[in-house]
């Protein structure tokens, strides 16, 4: 008993050990604890402000997320404040927070800004994107800067919250610095600060990679919970953005490549096509009967027009439909009711629309080193056939890189905001993305009179994109609709603009020999609305409209924008060589499917089956019975093999510039 330390002695031993820890290290530890608390606080705000997005997770379901979230927050702190931590531990007077508490508090706050701003912004944008931010912010720096003012006003409460957190962060780190005693931090030997610095550097490396496991931490590791959406809650926006910008484009797709060539070709082949070269999986030659049909082709992409908001697809009564003009066109055209978006961002789907290249990478093709890989897309083919090729988009030139990619894809003429009449530009600008749909579609219709037929054109709208701005006073009945939210009003406005555009196009002498393909860029779900279940959450419209050329009807043939080039070639009966990674939707003998990429997940849909997977430990199977999708324990192995084969061959072809032989 005499040898047992007394309580007072234990306390003295603890104080002595604590005293030996350098004051600099205590300051670093305090700053990191504060950073962890701030990240966790913003995570709770994300959860509480968006109850509809996280409805399937109750409070008990959040607790398992906390441990996963800690790994991502520590990795994020390493990215944002790791350098600061090492600098403070250097044995120099200038780097001691106790001597210059305000300076180091300011540096700590500035290094914390990415955490505060990006995680804070995702609180507002998560209901629109349904995921953490990734690479897209780097591709829209100009747009982000121009929209930041309106964003801060619209989400004024969030602006105040983030501002308050910045002030609190500075004040608390300043207080930590004031209570850091420089005099007690003089090392007895030079090796001591060096040892502490090396130890902290090692811990930072461990925090960055998320632990001692073989593979470093990656966004997919957040999705280990029973509810998929919990993965977005566990993750951190700084980490997802950094990872998407720095990881290889093919990261996340590692499957067995053996024996996939025949399966991949089976999935994309249309009747009468031959594959002449095994070095190019999808390069094939169309054989046709009869002469080509020199029809005009107009592809119209409606921003964020989900199937949920299209009356012809959601069976809304005529007086309740947000798309009465599109509905009227659907009654006179061929409507595809099982058409899906290939990606969840506009930049992700344009390679599919123009060249038949699916989105499947961690970053989109546009903006990556794969952007200049020769695609021999629809624009190239039709230009060789004597077509005039053009693209219309009312956004600022350079937005999303669409103008550059369009020209690389065989589009000769690009009409954007810069080409819009200067005298009207300021009045018709929506103050966010570019020219309102109404005046820009009117302008586009007038330019069609100057295009020499036959022509192939792509037209992309923008008014139904957040912040959902349309010109007030043009349609007073839309302004007065108190039952509609801002997005719904812009859908109604764009639909009416589309109706007027089609009326103008009907006056052209070549109208009866023009085929219109009307679809959307990607799906969208209004904040506050329940997210449609998979795979309905990807569904968008596709209408082929040419009343005097195409029989009216409704079809359940599945597909995505990847199928558009092959479909157009069949419509025109052109015997061309091409490499689009999808079959014609009009070929009844082809294998029809849809494939989508969302975050770290891939989805695959046929007429009967749907599969959502990360190819590791997350799988969701659905089976269609009539018009209803129901959960299934699995799906046929041969379909899973086909999807894997297609993905691997598509990945290899695009990544290694083996899409098409160079001319």
């Amino acid at each position: 008993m005499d040898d047992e330390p007394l309580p007072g002695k234990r306390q003295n031993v603890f104080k002595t050990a604590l005293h030996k820890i350098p004051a600099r290290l205590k300051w670093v530890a305090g700053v990191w604890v504060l950073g962890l608390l701030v990240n966790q606080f913003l995570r709770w705000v994300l959860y509480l402000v968006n109850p509809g997005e996280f409805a399937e997770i109750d409070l008990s379901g959040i607790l398992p997320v906390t441990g996963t979230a800690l790994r991502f927050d520590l990795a994020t702190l390493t990215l944002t404040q790791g350098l600061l931590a090492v600098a403070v531990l250097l044995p120099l007077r200038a780097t001691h927070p106790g001597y210059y508490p305000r300076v180091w508090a300011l540096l700590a706050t500035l290094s914390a800004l990415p955490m505060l701003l990006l995680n804070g912004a995702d609180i507002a944008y998560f209901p629109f994107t349904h995921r953490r931010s990734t690479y897209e912010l780097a591709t829209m720096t100009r747009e982000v800067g121009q929209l930041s003012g309106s964003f801060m006003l619209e989400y004024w409460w969030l602006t105040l919250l983030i501002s308050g957190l910045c002030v609190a962060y500075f004040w608390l780190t300043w207080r930590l610095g004031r209570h850091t005693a420089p005099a007690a931090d003089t090392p007895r030997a030079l090796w001591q600060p060096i040892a502490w610095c090396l130890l902290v550097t090692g811990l930072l490396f461990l925090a960055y990679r998320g632990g001692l496991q073989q593979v470093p931490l990656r966004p997919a590791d957040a999705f280990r919970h029973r509810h998929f959406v919990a993965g977005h809650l566990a993750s951190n926006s700084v980490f997802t953005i950094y990872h998407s910008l720095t990881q290889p484009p093919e990261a996340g797709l590692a499957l067995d490549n053996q024996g996939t060539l025949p399966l991949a070709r089976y999935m994309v082949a249309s009747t009468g096509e031959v594959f002449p070269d095994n070095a190019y999986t999808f390069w094939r030659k169309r054989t046709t009967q009869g002469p080509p049909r020199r029809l005009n082709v107009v592809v119209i992409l409606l921003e964020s027009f989900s199937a949920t908001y299209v009356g012809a697809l959601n069976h809304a009564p005529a007086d309740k439909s947000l798309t009465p003009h599109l509905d009227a066109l659907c009654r006179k055209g061929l409507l595809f009711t099982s058409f899906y978006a290939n990606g969840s961002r506009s930049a992700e789907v344009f390679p599919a629309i123009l060249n038949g290249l699916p989105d499947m990478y961690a970053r989109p093709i546009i903006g990556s080193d794969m952007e200049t890989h020769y695609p021999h897309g629809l624009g190239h083919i039709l230009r060789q056939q004597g077509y005039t090729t053009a693209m219309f988009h009312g956004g600022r030139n350079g937005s999303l890189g669409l103008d550059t990619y369009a020209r690389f894809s065989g589009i000769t003429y690009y009409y954007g905001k810069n080409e819009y009449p200067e005298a009207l530009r300021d009045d018709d600008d929506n103050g966010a993305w570019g020219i309102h749909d109404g005046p820009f579609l009117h302008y586009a219709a007038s330019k069609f009179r100057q295009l020499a037929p036959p022509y192939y054109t792509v037209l992309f709208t923008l008014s139904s994109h957040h912040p959902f701005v349309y010109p007030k006073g043009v349609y007073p009945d839309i302004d007065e609709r108190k039952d509609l939210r801002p997005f719904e009003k812009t859908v109604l406005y764009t639909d009416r603009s589309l109706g007027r555009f089609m009326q103008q196009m009907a006056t052209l002498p070549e109208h009866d020999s023009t085929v219109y393909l009307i679809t959307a860029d990607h799906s969208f779900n209004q904040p506050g609305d329940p997210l449609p279940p998979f795979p309905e959450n990807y569904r968008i419209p596709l209408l082929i409209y040419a009343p005097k050329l195409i029989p009216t009807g409704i079809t359940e043939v599945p597909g995505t924008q990847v199928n558009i080039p092959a479909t157009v070639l069949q419509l025109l009966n052109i015997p061309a060589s091409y490499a689009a990674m999808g079959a014609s939707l009009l070929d009844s003998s082809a294998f029809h499917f849809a494939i989508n990429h969302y975050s770290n997940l891939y989805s695959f849909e046929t007429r009967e089956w749907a599969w959502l997977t990360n190819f590791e430990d997350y799988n969701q199977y659905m089976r269609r019975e009539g018009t209803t999708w129901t959960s299934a324990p699995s799906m046929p192995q041969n379909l899973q093999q086909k999807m894997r084969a297609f993905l691997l061959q598509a990945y290899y072809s695009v990544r290694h510039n083996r899409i098409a032989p160079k001319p």
Side-chain angles (χ1 to χ4, degrees):
M1 294 291 294
D2 293 338
D3 294 334
E4 184 178 344
L6 297 174
K9 290 184 179 180
R10 289 199 198 102
Q11 189 175 13
N12 290 335
V13 171
F14 176 75
K15 285 185 176 180
T16 301
L18 188 64
H19 182 71
K20 290 182 178 180
I21 298 176
R24 299 169 184 263
L25 187 57
K26 294 176 187 176
W27 185 87
V28 170
V31 170
W32 274 54
V33 169
L34 180 60
L36 291 174
L37 291 174
V38 166
N39 278 290
Q40 196 61 247
F41 172 75
L42 292 175
R43 189 171 284 109
W44 274 97
V45 175
L46 174 66
Y47 173 77
L48 295 173
V49 170
N50 301 295
E53 302 295 324
F54 301 103
E56 59 190 57
I57 309 175
D58 56 19
L59 292 178
S60 64
I62 294 182
L63 295 178
V65 173
T66 306
T68 306
L70 180 63
R71 297 176 67 197
F72 283 94
D73 292 346
L74 286 171
T76 296
L77 284 168
T78 303
L79 292 171
T80 57
Q81 297 189 315
L83 187 61
L84 180 80
V86 174
V88 167
L89 293 175
L90 295 176
L92 302 172
R93 176 186 174 92
T95 62
H96 201 300
Y99 285 114
Y100 308 101
R102 285 188 176 87
V103 172
W104 286 100
L106 178 61
L107 292 175
T109 305
L110 290 175
S111 63
L113 276 180
M115 296 186 304
L116 295 166
L117 296 178
L118 297 176
N119 286 305
D122 269 354
I123 292 172
Y125 268 112
F126 191 85
F128 300 100
T129 61
H130 311 294
R131 68 179 184 181
R132 294 275 186 170
S133 294
T134 54
Y135 65 86
E136 64 271 8
L137 293 181
T139 65
M140 303 189 307
T141 51
R142 184 170 60 175
E143 287 82 359
V144 169
Q146 292 167 335
L147 292 172
S148 58
S150 60
F151 175 86
M152 289 189 291
L153 288 175
E154 182 177 356
Y155 296 97
W156 58 268
W157 59 271
L158 188 57
T159 303
L160 292 177
L161 176 64
I162 300 302
S163 300
L165 286 175
C166 289
V167 172
Y169 206 96
F170 175 83
W171 184 80
L172 289 171
T173 50
W174 171 62
R175 293 277 296 179
L176 280 173
R178 285 189 62 193
H179 288 82
T180 302
D185 218 19
T186 304
R188 296 181 180 180
L190 184 60
W191 67 267
Q192 290 180 339
I194 294 176
W196 281 113
C197 196
L198 291 175
L199 175 63
V200 169
T201 301
L203 292 174
L204 288 174
F205 177 75
L206 192 64
Y208 169 73
R209 70 186 314 279
L212 294 170
Q213 71 283 350
Q214 183 178 2
V215 179
L217 187 69
R218 55 199 178 103
D221 292 323
F223 299 87
R224 307 290 188 188
H225 304 279
R226 183 164 59 93
H227 300 293
F228 175 76
V229 73
H232 297 299
L233 199 61
S235 191
N236 191 296
S237 301
V238 175
F239 185 86
T240 57
I241 292 171
Y242 172 81
H243 197 267
S244 67
L245 291 174
T246 58
Q247 67 176 329
E250 65 272 19
L253 186 60
L255 305 172
D256 182 12
N257 192 37
Q258 186 175 2
T260 58
L261 179 66
L263 282 177
R265 285 181 166 175
Y266 166 77
M267 293 181 71
V268 302
S270 295
T271 302
E273 293 184 345
V274 294
F275 296 84
D277 191 342
N278 284 347
Y280 299 91
T281 300
F282 299 97
W283 180 251
R284 54 204 188 273
K285 169 74 175 178
R286 280 178 47 82
T287 57
T288 61
Q289 295 181 352
R293 305 170 73 191
R294 297 184 66 78
L295 306 174
N296 305 292
V297 179
V298 180
V299 180
I300 301 175
L301 281 87
L302 304 171
E303 170 68 53
S304 301
F305 266 52
S306 291
T308 307
Y309 305 106
V310 175
L313 294 175
N314 63 24
H315 309 293
D319 59 335
K320 298 292 184 182
S321 175
L322 297 175
T323 57
H325 293 87
L326 179 57
D327 298 343
L329 295 174
C330 289
R331 290 191 288 271
K332 298 180 180 180
L334 180 59
L335 178 63
F336 291 78
T337 60
S338 297
F339 196 73
Y340 301 90
N342 179 243
S344 57
R345 297 279 194 276
S346 300
E348 295 170 352
V349 301
F350 263 87
I353 293 161
L354 296 175
N355 299 314
L357 305 180
D359 173 64
M360 57 193 152
Y361 296 99
R363 300 194 304 273
I365 293 174
I366 297 179
S368 74
D369 61 330
M370 300 175 290
E371 182 176 12
T372 57
H373 291 181
Y374 183 64
H376 195 71
L378 193 55
H380 298 102
I381 296 169
L382 295 184
R383 197 163 62 179
Q384 291 173 357
Q385 295 286 327
Y387 275 68
T388 303
T389 60
M391 179 171 171
F392 296 85
H393 178 46
R396 297 173 179 84
N397 293 52
S399 177
L400 305 178
L402 297 184
D403 53 347
T404 301
Y405 189 74
R407 290 191 175 94
F408 185 76
S409 301
I411 302 298
T412 304
Y413 303 105
Y414 185 89
Y415 299 95
K417 183 181 176 182
N418 290 1
E419 289 71 29
Y420 192 75
E422 187 175 359
L424 304 174
R425 200 175 297 159
D426 291 340
D427 291 340
D428 294 338
D429 194 320
N430 70 0
W433 294 100
I435 308 300
H436 290 294
D437 286 346
F440 190 79
L441 289 178
H442 176 78
Y443 161 76
S446 67
K447 298 301 291 184
F448 270 89
R449 296 186 180 276
Q450 302 174 22
L451 297 179
Y455 46 71
Y456 159 63
T457 63
V458 179
L459 197 156
F460 182 28
T461 68
L462 57 74
S463 290
S464 45
H465 191 291
H466 185 267
F468 312 127
V469 178
Y470 73 98
K472 303 296 190 295
V474 176
Y475 299 117
D477 59 317
I478 298 179
D479 301 340
E480 296 167 2
R481 290 284 300 271
K482 304 299 182 185
D483 59 319
L484 298 182
R485 289 168 287 180
F487 170 71
E488 293 168 324
K489 288 187 176 183
T490 57
V491 169
L492 196 57
Y493 166 74
T494 295
D495 176 75
R496 194 166 299 182
S497 302
L498 172 66
R500 294 201 169 190
F501 170 78
M502 295 300 290
Q503 289 177 355
Q504 288 180 269
M505 294 295 289
T507 64
L508 297 177
E510 67 269 16
H511 175 68
D512 289 343
S513 59
T514 300
V515 178
Y516 299 87
L517 291 89
I518 305 174
T519 184
D521 55 344
H522 52 74
S523 59
F524 176 76
N525 193 65
Q526 272 198 114
D529 286 356
L531 187 66
F534 168 76
E536 288 295 307
N537 53 326
Y538 295 116
R539 198 161 65 103
I540 57 175
L542 173 65
L543 171 68
I544 300 180
Y545 178 81
K548 296 189 177 181
L549 302 170
I550 307 295
T552 300
I554 297 176
T555 176
E556 295 180 350
V557 170
T560 71
Q561 293 103 331
V562 170
N563 299 97
I564 287 178
T567 303
V568 170
L569 290 177
Q570 181 172 345
L571 283 167
L572 302 181
N573 200 38
I574 292 178
S577 294
Y578 72 114
M581 300 179 186
S584 169
L585 296 170
L586 302 175
D587 187 343
S588 59
S589 64
F591 178 78
H592 295 294
F593 69 99
I595 195 163
N596 329 86
H597 180 214
Y598 170 76
S599 190
N600 67 315
L601 294 176
Y602 297 88
S603 70
F604 177 72
E605 297 90 15
T606 65
R607 288 176 183 264
E608 185 181 1
W609 294 96
W611 180 29
L612 185 67
T613 182
N614 63 358
F615 293 113
E616 292 181 357
D617 56 1
Y618 183 87
N619 292 283
Q620 182 181 354
Y621 304 102
M622 305 291 287
R623 186 170 187 176
R624 186 173 182 177
E625 299 176 357
T627 59
T628 304
W629 290 96
T630 58
S631 180
S634 184
M635 68 181 289
Q637 283 296 315
N638 66 323
L639 292 180
Q640 296 187 36
Q641 291 169 358
K642 287 184 173 70
M643 180 181 178
R644 293 169 185 267
F646 174 84
L647 276 175
L648 282 165
Q649 289 293 332
Y651 152 71
Y652 178 85
S653 299
V654 177
R655 184 72 190 122
H656 298 282
N657 199 10
R658 290 285 183 172
I659 305 167
K662 293 182 180 179

